[in-house]
Amino acid sequence: MSSTSEILDIVLRSSLGKIISRDRIEKVVPFLRLKHWEAGTIIFSEQDPAEGFYVVSKGIVKLLRYRADGREIVVHFAEPTQSFAEAAIFLGRFPVTAVTDTDCELVYLPKSAVMEHLASDPEFSKFLMQLMATWLERLVEQLDTVVQNDASSRVIRFLLNEETPESKKSETRSVQLHFRKADMAQMLNMNQATLSRTLRKLQEEGLIKVKGRSFQLCDPKRLEAMLLPPLE
Amino acid sequence: MSSTSEILDIVLRSSLGKIISRDRIEKVVPFLRLKHWEAGTIIFSEQDPAEGFYVVSKGIVKLLRYRADGREIVVHFAEPTQSFAEAAIFLGRFPVTAVTDTDCELVYLPKSAVMEHLASDPEFSKFLMQLMATWLERLVEQLDTVVQNDASSRVIRFLLNEETPESKKSETRSVQLHFRKADMAQMLNMNQATLSRTLRKLQEEGLIKVKGRSFQLCDPKRLEAMLLPPLE
DNA sequence: ACACCTTTTTGATTTTCGTCAAAAATATTC
DNA sequence: GAATATTTTTGACGAAAATCAAAAAGGTGT
């Protein structure tokens, strides 16, 4: 299962594979580990010492913070080909907790391999910084979304952000959710009941159609316009 | 004013100065620029192409996003010795807007100088990544704070986070604000009036004392306990 | 197709916070 | 130190969303 060639394949297909040469990847592959994780397992916890980072091969990993009151603050859902916790190896600790949301397969890249590679390949360090910069951008975006003060705006914004580039080109624009609506509510910092009601309202207004976990954006222009200030 | 030795001094005192050798800094100093900025000036706007980053020498720089409705989402207040927008040179664009909150003096480090240095000094790339990782941590922390759903918790959390290590050791624990209460309210995603009322409430409960921009934490233990779930 | 479990929706009620506007307090300038 | 401008506090009110609990819908396995 966890053969060298399989790991190679995963890394090549991940975002890392797009920047690092095949040669270099082949060299580090022997130091990487592929592992299966059952749904609901804690991969690491906030403040744990960090000795490496991960690439998702299969499944969804939920990155979050646990509140003292048991509530969860979801930072991100990591999907296949994405890596996560890159920054942690530079902080020395994980700033969030990672839990498998479904059964998963993850490649683990130990810090030592990364650091060595960093010294020998300036391109790699640029790439890592780009990755981290993307995380920063994502977090700023999320902060912005979550702070939006009415529920509809947050939902609309989420949907527009979540839309894939393919969908944007196609005729029937849609968003496919890879996790529960309850999770979505968490990400948007609202009550599950409020999300439900908000979605109903948006449907009644003919802006979207909801069917389980798929959302059709019936009127993208009007959706975008709703994020702008009301005309007065 | 903007003499080479002055710039050298600022960079040495900044967080960059702590990691990069004096030799190396001296080499790049001729490529850096020190500039004065009047209060309320936009340094760069969200999505502007990024060709360098900044170190604050004097004053406060507000990093934020403008909403379509004119509201501001404050991401951070950058204070002297701090650098900002490092990540932007890897993204190619600024993810936030930067506005001088007071009169400022800033050193500008052009991307070209950074990139050159990056190739020749692996220590520097590690340092830059640490800087960016710190930003990430800060953003996660802020997301967590802002999402806290009641005003008191947000305020308490902010105060505890804002406390300096020195204060934590000292007898009279306190926090000194470097910007207006209105700004603080923005950071905490609440109305200025709400912040005012919340502070009053916390004072009445004997938890803090407020005098202008300085806050005394009378009962740090109880403050921390308030972030925990209520006993039932 | 049934029973079982999970997720989502809905209703009724309460609470918290935003809004607006005016007054008070605090800084700043001359 | 009076006068102006800026910042903060306070009050009255309304609106939006949280909460709790129960019903409905959707999945899964046998």
Side-chain angles (χ1 to χ4, degrees):
Chain A
M1 256 299 164
S2 167
S3 74
T4 302
S5 72
E6 194 183 348
I7 295 183
L8 178 63
D9 212 52
I10 292 165
V11 178
L12 283 173
R13 260 206 296 270
S14 77
S15 59
L16 298 167
K18 285 177 200 132
I19 186 77
I20 310 172
S21 74
R22 194 191 170 98
D23 288 6
R24 290 186 171 279
I25 291 179
E26 281 178 347
K27 245 180 251 165
V28 293
V29 161
F31 302 105
L32 311 185
R33 293 203 306 270
L34 178 65
K35 199 173 146 189
H36 179 87
W37 298 78
E38 281 197 19
T41 315
I42 295 183
I43 303 168
F44 52 75
S45 293
E46 201 185 319
Q47 301 299 338
D48 281 357
E51 285 303 327
F53 74 97
Y54 298 83
V55 176
V56 182
S57 165
K58 284 184 196 149
I60 304 275
V61 176
K62 179 150 86 167
L63 303 175
L64 52 85
R65 283 201 164 204
Y66 283 115
R67 276 288 174 58
D69 63 5
R71 270 190 52 187
E72 300 180 351
I73 313 302
V74 177
V75 172
H76 188 71
F77 289 94
E79 302 179 8
T81 78
Q82 285 193 327
S83 52
F84 62 93
E86 307 90 343
I89 60 181
F90 298 98
L91 279 175
R93 61 189 175 277
F94 296 106
V96 292
T97 298
V99 183
T100 49
D101 202 46
T102 63
D103 283 13
C104 286
E105 265 180 25
L106 308 178
V107 175
Y108 178 71
L109 296 92
K111 184 177 176 175
S112 54
V114 176
M115 289 306 195
E116 250 170 62
H117 194 191
L118 211 60
S120 66
D121 181 0
E123 277 312 303
F124 178 60
S125 76
K126 268 184 212 164
F127 170 69
L128 253 191
M129 295 206 215
Q130 270 165 30
L131 267 187
M132 285 171 57
T134 308
W135 274 104
L136 268 169
E137 195 179 31
R138 195 166 17 226
L139 274 169
V140 170
E141 190 65 40
Q142 195 176 343
L143 192 65
D144 202 344
T145 300
V146 153
V147 154
Q148 197 95 21
N149 38 12
D150 74 297
S152 305
S153 307
R154 295 210 290 275
V155 171
I156 292 172
R157 189 163 186 146
F158 174 86
L159 290 174
L160 292 174
N161 276 340
E162 204 71 2
E163 207 185 352
T164 58
E166 298 88 65
S167 157
K168 276 179 191 154
K169 281 173 217 147
S170 97
E171 197 52 42
T172 58
R173 299 181 55 174
S174 65
V175 170
Q176 187 64 36
L177 207 62
H178 295 119
F179 36 80
R180 312 199 248 327
K181 288 216 182 87
D183 288 331
M184 175 172 163
Q186 277 187 352
M187 277 200 85
L188 296 176
N189 189 33
M190 68 179 70
N191 199 286
Q192 186 169 348
T194 304
L195 173 60
S196 182
R197 284 186 256 265
T198 305
L199 288 173
R200 177 155 56 80
K201 207 190 74 198
L202 293 176
Q203 282 188 95
E204 281 163 5
E205 289 169 7
L207 290 160
I208 59 173
K209 270 186 192 141
V210 183
K211 184 124 202 171
R213 287 183 176 182
S214 66
F215 302 80
Q216 205 189 118
L217 312 182
C218 306
D219 197 339
K221 271 180 221 144
R222 202 140 60 87
L223 284 172
E224 276 174 47
M226 287 188 66
L227 295 180
L228 297 172
L231 311 169
E232 54 228 81
Chain B
M1 261 296 165
S2 169
S3 74
T4 302
S5 73
E6 192 182 352
I7 294 182
L8 177 62
D9 212 52
I10 293 164
V11 177
L12 283 174
R13 260 207 296 273
S14 77
S15 58
L16 297 168
K18 284 177 203 133
I19 186 76
I20 310 172
S21 75
R22 196 193 168 96
D23 288 6
R24 289 187 171 278
I25 291 180
E26 280 178 347
K27 243 180 253 165
V28 293
V29 160
F31 303 104
L32 312 185
R33 292 203 306 268
L34 179 64
K35 199 173 146 187
H36 179 86
W37 297 80
E38 281 197 17
T41 316
I42 294 182
I43 302 168
F44 52 75
S45 292
E46 201 186 319
Q47 301 299 339
D48 280 358
E51 285 303 327
F53 74 97
Y54 298 82
V55 175
V56 181
S57 165
K58 285 185 195 145
I60 305 273
V61 176
K62 178 150 87 169
L63 303 175
L64 52 86
R65 282 200 166 207
Y66 283 115
R67 275 288 172 60
D69 64 5
R71 270 190 51 188
E72 300 180 351
I73 313 301
V74 176
V75 173
H76 188 71
F77 289 95
E79 301 178 9
T81 81
Q82 284 192 326
S83 51
F84 61 92
E86 307 91 343
I89 59 181
F90 298 98
L91 279 174
R93 60 188 176 281
F94 297 107
V96 292
T97 298
V99 183
T100 50
D101 201 47
T102 62
D103 283 14
C104 286
E105 265 180 27
L106 308 178
V107 176
Y108 178 71
L109 297 92
K111 182 177 176 175
S112 53
V114 176
M115 289 306 193
E116 250 172 61
H117 194 192
L118 211 58
S120 67
D121 181 0
E123 276 312 303
F124 177 61
S125 76
K126 267 184 213 166
F127 171 70
L128 252 191
M129 294 205 217
Q130 270 166 31
L131 267 187
M132 284 171 58
T134 307
W135 274 104
L136 266 169
E137 195 179 31
R138 198 167 13 227
L139 273 170
V140 170
E141 191 63 41
Q142 195 177 343
L143 192 65
D144 203 345
T145 300
V146 153
V147 153
Q148 199 92 21
N149 39 12
D150 74 297
S152 306
S153 308
R154 295 210 290 274
V155 171
I156 292 173
R157 187 162 189 146
F158 174 86
L159 290 175
L160 292 175
N161 277 340
E162 205 70 3
E163 206 187 352
T164 59
E166 297 88 67
S167 157
K168 277 179 193 156
K169 280 172 220 146
S170 98
E171 198 51 43
T172 57
R173 299 181 54 176
S174 66
V175 170
Q176 187 62 36
L177 207 63
H178 295 119
F179 36 81
R180 314 199 246 326
K181 287 217 183 87
D183 288 332
M184 174 174 164
Q186 277 187 348
M187 275 200 87
L188 296 176
N189 189 33
M190 67 178 71
N191 199 285
Q192 185 169 349
T194 303
L195 173 61
S196 182
R197 283 186 259 262
T198 306
L199 287 172
R200 178 154 56 81
K201 206 190 74 198
L202 292 177
Q203 282 189 94
E204 282 163 4
E205 289 169 6
L207 290 160
I208 60 172
K209 269 186 193 141
V210 183
K211 185 125 202 170
R213 286 183 177 184
S214 66
F215 301 80
Q216 204 190 117
L217 312 182
C218 305
D219 196 339
K221 271 180 222 145
R222 203 140 60 86
L223 284 171
E224 275 173 47
M226 288 189 66
L227 295 180
L228 297 172
L231 311 169
E232 55 227 79

